[in-house]
Amino acid sequence: MNKFEQLGLNESLLKAILDLGFENPSEVQEKAIPLLLEKDTDMVALAQTGTGKTAAFGFPLIQKIDADNRNTQALVLSPTRELCLQITNELKNYSKYEKGINVVAVYGGASITEQAREIKRGAQIIVATPGRMQDMINRGLVNIKNIDYCVLDEADEMLNMGFYEDIVSILSDTPDEKSTWLFSATMPQEVARIAKQFMSEPVEITVGAKNSGSSTVSHEFYLVNARDRYEALKRLADANPDIFSVVFCRTKRDTQAIAEKLIEDGYSAAALHGDLSQAQRDGVMKSFRGRQIQMLVATDVAARGIDVDNVTHVVNYQLPDEIETYNHRSGRTGRAGKLGTSIVIVTKSELRKISSIERIIKQKFEEKSIPSGIEICEIQLLHLANKIKDTEVDHEIDNYLPAINNVLEDLSKEELIKKMVSVEFNRFIAYYKKNRDISVSGGERRERGDSEPREFSNNGAVRYFVNIGSRDNFDWMSLKDYLKETLDLGRDDIFKVDVKEGFSFFNTDPQHTDKVMDVLNNVQLEGRRINVEISKNDGGGRRDHNNRGGRRDSGRRDGNFAPRREGGFRSDRGSRDGGSREGGSRDGGFRGDRNSSSRREGGFRSSAPRNEGGSDRAPRRSENFGDSSRPRRSRRD
Ligand code: ADP
Ligand code: MG
């Protein structure tokens, strides 16, 4: 028996839930749904972002609506147009087996008369942004005088955005006897005030600690000089080939400028801010959902409430003016139980703010160094190797093989591998060879004397490469714990743990090297042999996986490769379409890949299995939506 059945949901909802692929209710759903179904009550529910609040109110709402009555019975207020559309979509999915329920979205930037017409046709549920709702009420286009339910979703964000007056005014247009359900991630005073003013004896539900950030998000900061901010961003992206991120800037201008620079440098990026037209914003969000954009550069306001699954990183390119805003930013990742990382690129003068944020989120930051060129090359190389391994062969290629074999027949397997990988790799090594180290030393928070340039030195520490990573369900904390236990070392003996998808790096002091090599190389993890190697010839590194010497030589030969676009597979793609579309992404350069249909060229970048299944991600319901007739698709397509 499915746990949702025990909550009292009816057949048609259970069927819809089955389609959605939800297996078990989340905590807030488990707590809220039975209460809301059982009686008409006001409710205040606090739960972090990504915990499934939409369904927590959506399921009971659908069940309680009288489908035979065409009058408007429920109003859901939500902060942004984005969210408004999302919720509408969700509610439509929930009610797909419930005949006769109409859900209409009401938001700014679209035709008000068209929305009024839809309502007139009979909308039992209206999902609205406060501004447009107020507008409709003023013009007499909507009647909410007889509603039974009012939901204030993401109440803290609505109030943050300055909708207090609108909300008060809208609520005063609704009957006193209705039930009000307030959902919020945090409980600032303004939210408490609304609850007090407009709700009577609300049932309170709290999931997790009040006002604390999501524990599925780990927080990191990187100390750099102000002039190196952008270079740091690029390296972080290069060091995370599968990055799917929201990059926050403080102003619209910076947002636009950084996005343009990234696009110029060949990354699949786009800007999202208030100066774009609604159509442009829609276009950007669609590309982001479709993963054609890996780096969405956004202002705080524009990115409020964005719910896109599987965002791997939130990057604070600049810290927000109000440090409370940090919580909203980092909440864009680590959703629905996934792990996410929130990164802050910080200069010395801003370091104080890190401690203030730690107090607010009640979590510690880990200080990390911008990866060196060598590290990035290693990561990219392995990423490429994995991509080659995982690539499925289309047998169309058989027709061309005789000719190809002709050209390559004199090469041994070893040579062939080296050359294949070098096609992309040379460019990277050529670029990074020339580039200086940009990690900054001496922040007061630095615990380790990490002041040497890290390019070729690691201060005497030994850096290791190990063949386990997030694919094996590790994040940096759990890997550190695992290594500590397996190696019987102390907490601080293992540091700079950096977890990638199929592999990870970590450091120890040299006296532990023998132990690390002996013990770890004889350990099995779920039947698989762990392989650890010394990653670089810094600080006592003796060995070197991937034959770096040879690689460097070939890099030198090709030293005339400019870092991006020219040469290699990449430059050929004609799709420069991005430039003319709204802040659209375009590719080329290292990044290439995943916009446009052309997956042909395998850049370092294109590899991410994200869209292709077979990734490390647990199969989630978004991946279950193979059937394009399902309405849910529209969220991603
Ligand atoms: P919140 O409003 O709390 O930030 P959402 O309602 O937007 O969270 O849900 C976050 C994500 O989790 C969405 O992709 C949603 O479809 C998914 N989700 C919600 N409930 C469940 C569940 N019971 N099982 C699996 N996924 C769920
Ligand atoms: Mg929500």
Side-chain angles (χ1 to χ4, degrees), residues 22 24 29 49-54 154 307 309 335-336 621:
F22 292 2
N24 288 304
Q29 291 163 2
T49 45
T51 51
K53 293 192 288 294
T54 317
E154 312 283 356
D307 170 26
D309 289 342
R335 297 174 73 79
R621 75 167 227 239

Side-chain angles (χ1 to χ4, degrees), residues 225-249:
N225 290 315
R227 69 186 148 96
D228 288 329
R229 245 185 235 281
Y230 178 70
E231 178 64 24
L233 175 64
K234 272 187 12 173
R235 289 201 190 184
L236 289 168
D238 287 341
N240 293 282
D242 287 341
I243 196 167
F244 181 53
S245 61
V246 184
V247 179
F248 285 95
C249 294

Side-chain angles (χ1 to χ4, degrees), residues 429-574:
I429 194 106
Y431 176 67
Y432 274 116
K433 214 166 42 166
K434 289 192 300 240
N435 279 280
R436 72 206 150 79
D437 180 61
I438 60 167
S439 59
V440 169
S441 62
E444 53 258 41
R445 296 182 40 113
R446 291 233 149 188
E447 288 137 40
R448 299 200 166 261
D450 207 15
S451 53
E452 294 293 300
R454 292 190 67 243
E455 203 73 12
F456 294 103
S457 133
N458 226 342
N459 258 6
V462 181
R463 187 126 178 100
Y464 306 86
F465 161 88
V466 62
N467 65 334
I468 50 180
S470 59
R471 196 178 269 179
D472 309 290
N473 287 326
F474 284 111
D475 62 5
W476 68 267
M477 281 179 285
S478 56
L479 183 62
K480 189 171 181 164
D481 288 343
Y482 173 77
L483 292 170
K484 194 186 68 178
E485 273 167 34
T486 312
L487 295 166
D488 194 23
L489 288 174
R491 213 158 161 95
D492 295 329
D493 293 335
I494 299 188
F495 47 98
K496 298 218 168 105
V497 179
D498 202 357
V499 175
K500 306 293 171 198
E501 189 175 333
F503 53 94
S504 306
F505 296 100
F506 64 94
N507 285 14
T508 72
D509 287 332
Q511 72 261 30
H512 301 305
T513 299
D514 288 345
K515 192 176 195 180
V516 171
M517 300 302 286
D518 291 348
V519 175
L520 271 192
N521 277 321
N522 289 304
V523 167
Q524 300 219 337
L525 185 74
E526 288 167 10
R528 189 155 63 91
R529 219 175 62 85
I530 290 186
N531 174 37
V532 64
E533 297 181 29
I534 291 169
S535 160
K536 35 202 293 187
N537 53 353
D538 49 8
R542 280 134 282 207
R543 224 175 85 203
D544 202 345
H545 68 95
N546 295 323
N547 183 18
R548 180 171 313 107
R551 213 166 58 197
R552 240 185 242 136
D553 285 348
S554 64
R556 210 162 286 141
R557 231 188 313 119
D558 295 317
N560 58 344
F561 267 122
R564 58 189 177 82
R565 240 171 255 145
E566 43 285 86
F569 286 155
R570 200 50 66 72
S571 49
D572 62 1
R573 80 143 13 119

Side-chain angles (χ1 to χ4, degrees), residues 410-427:
D410 289 340
L411 297 176
S412 70
K413 179 183 168 190
E414 293 230 308
E415 285 170 318
L416 192 61
I417 290 176
K418 268 190 212 169
K419 280 181 187 275
M420 269 187 75
V421 170
S422 298
V423 167
E424 286 296 325
F425 187 66
N426 286 352
R427 208 160 27 178

Side-chain angles (χ1 to χ4, degrees), residues 240-290:
N240 293 282
D242 287 341
I243 196 167
F244 181 53
S245 61
V246 184
V247 179
F248 285 95
C249 294
R250 215 178 281 141
T251 64
K252 291 181 210 171
R253 244 177 81 188
D254 288 346
T255 302
Q256 184 66 33
I258 299 302
E260 278 173 15
K261 255 169 132 172
L262 285 170
I263 293 166
E264 184 66 20
D265 286 339
Y267 296 82
S268 54
L272 186 75
H273 55 69
D275 283 351
L276 301 178
S277 73
Q278 195 61 62
Q280 286 174 320
R281 276 196 268 176
D282 287 348
V284 169
M285 281 313 296
K286 191 170 152 191
S287 305
F288 188 54
R289 289 226 155 79

Side-chain angles (χ1 to χ4, degrees), residues 164-179:
Y164 180 81
E165 308 282 323
D166 284 316
I167 293 172
V168 168
S169 161
I170 293 166
L171 288 177
S172 64
D173 216 45
T174 60
D176 287 341
E177 327 57 272
K178 70 179 182 304
S179 301

